[in-house]
């Protein structure tokens, strides 16, 4: 991105879209930063627009390749902003494996929700409505939707990429719950396995919007184990049995050379001379885990757009530390 491509670069004051003056006015929103431009998203999938180069060291690259060859989950750790989640998108893009299936984990997440969801209440309501209308209700498969993990396992042919984001935020038993699925490469949908003979194959919804897949006798079994990328911020340890089944990859904080390469990859090599002081300010402020690389990219993007980052504490707002009380 050159300065001429940014609409605010010609007028240093035009970047202030909001003025706090009160009266409404029509404004033209400027282009978003490249890393904040979103493509279509459907169900549990993500497809960021305009993928950018993913810069990774040779040692880390080889660990990723080892996980691909061994068909083992990749457990990625590192400080915020080191590119843990972006790695899954980079692998999917470079290997042409389609949109990433993302499972964002929180304290209430369960294995069942990642595998499938059965809308029993919706089926009962639809059946009652159709009975009153003298119509035939949809089959049970209409009310079953696979989750991101379930969709990743059912896919035939080339594997899909599954991103299990921030597993350490989940329940303490969740990693152990995943072990059987990871080892067996299959799971059962009891609502389908209990169906009478003659209903062996059922069409169910996948995590990808209107797509459907066929489930045979209630068992989802993968032909190719998905590319599983599990991220962790290191908030707690995982059980040894779980760690034994994963390949571990720790992404280090980028050094000065890597930082400049990241800025060039996202904003163009011609941007480097104009943001040299920002790179130095970032390195001077950074302590392990206290600043993220995307904060530097945010500051550089604003600078290239004509924003005076030295004015009114804006630099401090963009490069604020991630730890401690606000």
């Amino acid at each position: 991105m050159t300065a001429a491509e940014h609409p605010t670069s010609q007028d240093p004051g035009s970047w202030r879209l909001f003025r706090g003056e009160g009266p409404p006015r029509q404004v033209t929103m400027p282009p978003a930063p490249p890393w904040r431009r979103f493509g279509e998203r459907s169900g549990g999938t993500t497809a960021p627009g305009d993928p950018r180069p993913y810069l990774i060291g040779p040692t880390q690259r080889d660990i990723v390749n080892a996980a691909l060859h061994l068909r083992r989950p990749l457990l990625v750790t590192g400080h915020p902003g080191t590119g843990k989640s972006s790695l899954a998108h980079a692998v999917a893009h470079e290997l042409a494996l389609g949109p990433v299936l993302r499972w964002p984990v929180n304290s209430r997440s369960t294995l069942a929700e990642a595998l499938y969801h059965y809308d029993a209440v919706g089926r009962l309501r639809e059946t009652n409505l159709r009975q009153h209308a003298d119509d035939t209700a949809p089959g049970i498969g209409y009310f079953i939707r696979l989750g991101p993990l379930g969709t990743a396992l059912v896919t035939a042919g080339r594997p899909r990429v599954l991103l299990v984001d921030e597993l350490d935020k989940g329940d303490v038993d969740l990693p152990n719950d995943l072990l059987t699925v990871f080892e067996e490469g299959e799971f059962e949908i009891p609502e389908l396995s209990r169906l009478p003979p003659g209903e062996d194959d059922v069409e169910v919804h996948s995590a990808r919007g209107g797509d459907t897949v066929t489930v045979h006798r209630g068992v989802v079994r993968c032909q190719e184990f998905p590319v599983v990328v599990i991220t962790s911020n290191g908030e707690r340890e995982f059980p040894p049995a779980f760690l034994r089944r994963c390949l571990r990859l720790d992404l280090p904080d980028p050094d000065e050379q890597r930082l400049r390469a990241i800025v060039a990859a996202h904003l163009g090599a011609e941007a480097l001379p104009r943001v040299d002081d920002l790179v130095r300010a970032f390195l001077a402020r950074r302590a392990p885990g206290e600043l993220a690389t995307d904060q530097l990219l945010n500051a550089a993007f604003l600078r290239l757009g004509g924003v005076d980052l030295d004015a009114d504490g804006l630099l401090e707002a963009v490069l604020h530390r991630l730890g401690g009380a606000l």
Side-chain angles (χ1 to χ4, degrees), residues 9-32:
S9 60
Q10 304 301 322
D11 180 2
S14 65
W15 74 277
R16 291 186 174 90
L17 304 174
F18 173 73
R19 299 175 183 173
E21 297 172 346
R25 56 193 177 84
Q26 294 292 329
V27 300
T28 300
M29 294 296 291

Side-chain angles (χ1 to χ4, degrees), residues 219-303:
V219 177
V220 173
R221 181 178 295 110
C222 69
Q223 296 183 15
E224 276 287 341
F225 190 77
V227 178
V228 181
V229 177
I230 304 170
T231 72
S232 168
N233 289 321
E235 295 183 3
R236 62 178 172 85
E237 286 294 325
F238 295 115
F242 175 79
L243 294 176
R244 181 171 63 83
R245 290 165 170 82
C246 301
L247 266 69
R248 303 187 64 172
L249 170 62
D250 184 63
L251 295 179
D253 293 327
D255 56 19
E256 181 174 356
Q257 181 180 3
R258 183 63 56 81
L259 281 175
R260 295 182 184 278
I262 291 173
V263 171
H266 285 276
L267 299 174
E270 66 277 4
L272 289 175
R274 298 182 57 191
V275 299
D276 182 73
D277 60 325
L278 294 179
V279 175
R280 287 186 277 106
F282 178 86
L283 290 168
R285 291 166 178 255
R286 185 178 70 177
E290 291 192 351
L291 286 178
T293 305
D294 58 352
Q295 291 176 281
L296 173 60
L297 290 173
N298 290 337
F301 180 79
L302 291 174
R303 166 68 63 79

Side-chain angles (χ1 to χ4, degrees), residues 63-86:
I63 295 174
V64 174
N65 281 293
L68 294 175
H69 280 276
L70 295 173
R71 306 302 200 272
R72 288 291 186 181
L74 188 66
L75 177 59
V76 187
T77 59
H79 293 132
T82 51
K84 300 186 295 296
S85 299
S86 299

Side-chain angles (χ1 to χ4, degrees), residues 2-240:
T2 64
E5 293 173 329
H6 200 295
T8 64
S9 60
Q10 304 301 322
D11 180 2
S14 65
W15 74 277
R16 291 186 174 90
L17 304 174
F18 173 73
R19 299 175 183 173
E21 297 172 346
R25 56 193 177 84
Q26 294 292 329
V27 300
T28 300
M29 294 296 291
W35 52 92
R36 294 294 297 169
R37 298 170 188 168
F38 301 98
E40 294 184 358
R41 297 187 174 191
S42 176
T45 67
T46 61
D50 192 19
R52 298 281 155 168
Y54 187 85
L55 304 179
I56 188 171
T59 300
Q60 290 78 30
R61 181 189 60 212
D62 288 347
I63 295 174
V64 174
N65 281 293
L68 294 175
H69 280 276
L70 295 173
R71 306 302 200 272
R72 288 291 186 181
L74 188 66
L75 177 59
V76 187
T77 59
H79 293 132
T82 51
K84 300 186 295 296
S85 299
S86 299
L87 176 59
H89 294 283
V91 171
H93 173 68
E94 187 170 323
L95 302 184
L97 297 179
V100 172
L101 292 158
R102 180 172 176 261
W103 178 26
V105 176
N106 57 49
S107 59
R108 300 176 299 279
S109 297
T110 63
L111 175 62
E113 74 177 31
L115 293 176
Y116 78 98
H117 172 69
Y118 171 49
D119 185 7
V121 174
R123 186 187 184 197
L124 178 62
R125 181 174 59 247
E126 187 72 17
T127 300
N128 290 334
L129 289 174
R130 297 298 180 104
Q131 283 178 344
H132 287 93
D134 249 353
D135 197 3
T136 303
I140 187 174
Y142 182 83
F143 301 96
I144 293 178
R145 180 178 296 277
L146 300 180
L149 175 54
T151 301
L153 290 173
V154 80
T155 306
R158 291 174 62 77
R160 295 291 300 278
V161 176
L162 171 68
L163 171 61
V164 183
D165 217 2
E166 299 188 329
L167 181 62
D168 51 339
K169 293 187 180 300
D171 184 82
V172 66
D173 292 326
L174 187 56
N176 283 329
D177 294 341
L178 286 167
L179 290 180
T180 300
V181 177
F182 283 165
E183 285 300 288
E184 303 296 331
E186 67 178 38
F187 69 95
E188 182 184 35
I189 302 177
E191 292 83 359
L192 299 184
S193 60
R194 293 194 294 261
L195 292 175
E199 299 184 45
D200 294 345
D201 295 322
V202 178
E203 293 285 322
V204 303
H205 297 283
S206 75
R208 292 199 61 197
D211 291 354
T212 61
V213 295
T214 301
V215 178
H216 181 71
R217 296 306 308 163
V219 177
V220 173
R221 181 178 295 110
C222 69
Q223 296 183 15
E224 276 287 341
F225 190 77
V227 178
V228 181
V229 177
I230 304 170
T231 72
S232 168
N233 289 321
E235 295 183 3
R236 62 178 172 85
E237 286 294 325
F238 295 115

